[in-house]
Amino acid sequence: MSESVEIEKKWQTRWEKERVFEVDPDPKKEKFFLTVPYPYPNGALHIGHGRTYTVGDLIARYKRMNGYNVLYPMASHITGTPILGMVDRVRNGDPVAIEQYKRDLRVYLDTEEEVEAKVKEFTDPWATVRFFAEAISADFKALGYSIDWRRKFTTGDDIYNQFITWQYQKFMDKSYIRKGSHPLLYCPNCGNPVGEDDLLEGITAKVKEFTGIKYPFEDGFLVAATLRPETTFGITNMWINPTAEYVRSKVNGEIWIVSSAAATKLKLQAKEVEVLETFSGSKIVGKSCKTVHDNRDIPILPADFVDVDNATGVVYSVPGHAPYDYVALRDLWDDPTGLEEYGISADEVRGIEVVMMIHIEGGSKFLTKHMVERLGVDSQKDEAKLEEATQEVYKTEFYDGVMMDNCGPFSGKRVSEVKDDVIKWLKNQNRGDVFYEPDERPVVCKCGTDVQIAVLAGQWFLDYESPGWKDLARDALNSMGIVPENFRIMFESTFDWLAQRPCARKRGIGTPLPFDPEWIIEALSDSTIYMAFYTIAHKITHNKLKPEQLMLSFFDYVFLGQGKIENVADATGVSSDLLKEMREEFLYWYPNDQRHTSPSHISNHLSFAIFHHTAIFPKKHWIRCISLNEHLVQEGGKMSKSKGNVTPLGEIPKKYGADVYRTYVVSAAEPGSQIEFRESDVPAVRNRLNQFSNILKRFASKTPKVYTKKENPTFATKWLLSKVNSIVDSCTHYLDSFKPRDYALAVMSEMIRSANHYLKRPEVPKEEREGTMAYICDIWVRIAAPMIPHLCEEFWSKMKRNGFVSFADWPAADKKLIDKSTELAFHVVDSTVRDIREIKKLLRGKKAEKVHIYVAPQWTFDAMNGIREADLPLVVGEIMKHLMSNPDFRKHGKAVKNIVDRIAKENGLWDHSKSAKDEATALRDSTRYVESEVGMKVYVHDSANADYDPDNKARLALPGRVSLYLE
RNA sequence: GCGGAGGUUGCCAAGCCAGGUCAAAGGCGCAGGGCUCAGGUCCCUGUCUCGUAGGGGUUCGCGAGUUCGAAUCUCGCCCUCCGCACCA
């Protein structure tokens, strides 16, 4: 272990000292610009974060070995509230926050005193950011990432703010950014919008939109809120909770009657509300109001199930289609006592007729009643069953239902299609409004207050529905690579629903909106085109350009080539030479050839990045390709920093080794699936690396030699040369098509298995073995380098090769050495050993000492090849006819039938080597090997003229399938 | 609800898009053997099931269908996971 840590340190130091990954434009070399989203340095990164960066590094290294000038930069994202939030908590002495930071600090600091001292500094957000940005960069170096660190920055830097200012000014110029209002979760006590990290309970809560329907009542409206406005056509009565508190209030100039709680909420939802009178629900029970669609009088009935804390506390009743309403009405029919006190007679209630307004083709006539009875709902108190019935009814009616004739303009339409139209129709006649509620309860702010929905006026948002923008973005998407390709559809659907997106908040770190500086551009909106900033960030910092020099015209020139260089130089005070240099550097690196991250970013960050690129840059500078891999989680369920059940990224090199972790992460699963990091699997990975090392230690220093036909090498050598070159081909193919896992398996598992097998072959002469193995080591160390760069650098230098393996040429497969027939013949040896073992097992007690192997005659190979070439359909008769038409085969009569029967049974041809000679040579060459494997003496015969065949087995042999006789 | 992904042999995980060579890669676990004073690491072999000759049977969420042939294609059903916006 310690040896590998030493090796890793050694090479990391050399890479850094010789600045090998610090890259500048090189017109002689083709560039490759790869980015992975910058991390958020509000604490130590954990083991899960490493996957994406590791895969990114694998790509960077592979491209580099393919001759590209590769730029792989990194920075820090500090926009938003999380860091400020943590800092506040530390400042307030919150023990949980302090302990969390201390845990992170212990990863990097040796003594408890240092930890204590450092955590005290964390009352300053910048101290926190500086520390963890450094820590993360050290973590990344310790994992061997080939990053150009000169270009680092944070999103809170003045120079970055200037860049974002420019970006948003561009949006403003294009009218992509606008002001409006938007509902969001809000804490009335704190007076702030709340996000996930502000919540004590209900962190998954979202805004749910109800339709408020205004039913005329006295001098105003009873405002009922519903999720199914289309059911207003089935209304029979109104429900009011007689014991709850209601108000009569002036809302935007109209008289509304809603629950007292609802009135408070309406105020938050940007309505002008003046409460005129507060009263108990019983006061209006027994009165009547009017329906919207046919202006009928309907009674207001008492209902205990009405929850005044939900929505408006006024519920309209649709017993035909809502189980709650049906059951409540049924309860009154069964037991009308108590109604008199509201002046309602039993007859009046019994006279209410259920109105059916949704028809389900081929379904129950009265689904609600049916469901209520099927589930055995006893009364309106039976909430669980009512909820289930409601869900079921809603689902069925929504999808299969058709509006009946009594639904005015919507008659005959599908329920699933009319909802929005009904809302419009209601609004048009001033009978509709919106009312927001969280979609779950409780939602509690960290201050202990119940969270409400507020509609804040003056919210800035990016309007992704601005004319033409989506078309541009779709154009970009269509011309862009998405790997794995199956994620493309997620982009498409995101583009479809993307509409207005708030892009600024009132608090947090970040860039103020240039035209409304009270607002800070939020974290997902200031991280969309910053890949461009990497191309010049180091020039800005090294030349100590001041933020105020980075005015709009500066970026216009550098990124867009706009303006006259002299004018820009005059205005900014940046020399023309430097401006030109930066412009050229930008033009050299841009566009971003590949952006690699996780699929969870598709619906936000990645889509925004695509949109924003199309808004700012010409087509040639749009992102070329997006690649994705799923998350890594640590065993034992979800990782959570607060639970402390995670391994910090910084501990990994010490605990497991960088190369081990890299191999694990690349090989555990393909990019599309999530991986679980299991401690118990680590030894297996380490073992594979050890085997790789051991083999290289043995042979890397020998002199490589390729044994060609002339030297008449053994079959095993020919096979290995072919196999290894095939593997090189596969590795290239796998990495080109973004299949890192297959690459990892080929370069580690398959190579090791092949090498081990070869080394087990006793017939290979020592000299031949060493020369061949040395040749293989030279290739192996290079194809393994992107995944395990440290180990490979070490061997590369031991092999006395020039320079770093990180910059060595990726090997090209030597096609001359690839011989599929030899590889197939090898399979025969392999399966023969397997078959002998199986038969041996079946012999039970009986001991066999000799095994006779019969290779099929040449004509059977000819026959198989003939069928293959003729490309016949798989019909016995056809194949038979084809073979029998050839006199060479006809003379074997019955044996031909055997082959054909076999083909029929196997449903086709199978792979085998070209000729009987190949197969026999492979077996004869492998005699000693087979003998040592099965512990029997081996005799290879040609079945055409077998001199020894006591059991008449020879005739059963087929190409690729020898026949055996054990005695 | 909308949108997406997925259910493979004890576990993890390939295969599915381009149907046959798939009882289905690889890893873990387990079993036997080797190595070792012993244990671990390590190496080899095996690991659905039946079988005294390399073969047969039954499997890839469930049920139908297409096809000479389906883990792979179509339809229906059941189940799991993820995103749904102001949150980095």
Side-chain angles (χ1 to χ4, degrees), chain A residues 912-929:
Chain A
H912 53 81
S913 47
K914 280 201 299 270
S915 66
K917 193 163 155 261
D918 275 3
E919 203 168 299
T921 309
L923 284 160
R924 290 214 169 87
D925 261 15
S926 308
T927 303
R928 279 175 63 195
Y929 163 73

Side-chain angles (χ1 to χ4, degrees), chain A residues 224-235:
Chain A
T226 177
L227 293 168
R228 297 180 67 190
E230 69 278 7
T231 57
T232 187
F233 297 100
I235 189 169

Side-chain angles (χ1 to χ4, degrees), chain A residues 469-534:
Chain A
W469 203 1
K470 278 197 182 182
D471 295 335
L472 277 175
R474 289 199 177 101
D475 184 10
L477 181 62
N478 292 338
S479 54
M480 171 189 300
I482 302 288
V483 280
E485 178 69 28
N486 54 317
F487 285 111
R488 185 179 292 275
I489 189 161
M490 295 181 76
F491 280 95
E492 286 165 357
S493 54
T494 301
F495 284 20
D496 286 344
W497 61 250
L498 214 48
Q500 288 79 36
R501 157 132 194 147
C503 62
R505 305 185 77 187
K506 290 259 178 166
R507 60 202 177 109
I509 298 173
T511 308
L513 267 179
F515 26 82
D516 193 354
E518 268 181 43
W519 292 87
I520 311 289
I521 296 163
E522 62 87 36
L524 279 165
S525 303
D526 81 342
S527 55
T528 57
I529 60 163
Y530 69 93
M531 308 70 147
F533 198 65
Y534 282 128

Side-chain angles (χ1 to χ4, degrees), chain A residues 631-647:
Chain A
H631 290 288
L632 176 143
V633 296
Q634 195 153 10
E635 59 195 324
K638 282 230 160 174
M639 285 185 286
S640 153
K641 239 187 200 176
S642 50
K643 282 190 208 143
N645 63 341
V646 291
T647 306

Side-chain angles (χ1 to χ4, degrees), chain A residues 828-859:
Chain A
V828 172
V829 177
D830 206 36
S831 62
T832 301
V833 170
R834 222 176 283 268
D835 284 351
I836 296 171
R837 281 199 183 112
E838 192 173 342
I839 297 168
K840 219 170 119 187
K841 208 166 69 186
L842 290 170
L843 286 176
R844 300 268 156 101
K846 288 185 225 164
K847 271 243 162 29
E849 284 170 350
K850 296 175 183 171
V851 54
H852 296 272
I853 300 174
Y854 303 95
V855 176
Q858 181 56 38
W859 75 263

Side-chain angles (χ1 to χ4, degrees), chain A residues 94 281 290 302 323 334 381 582 644 667 785 962:
Chain A
D94 178 341
K290 288 203 182 292
D334 291 349
K381 305 245 176 352
M582 286 194 265
S667 64
V962 297

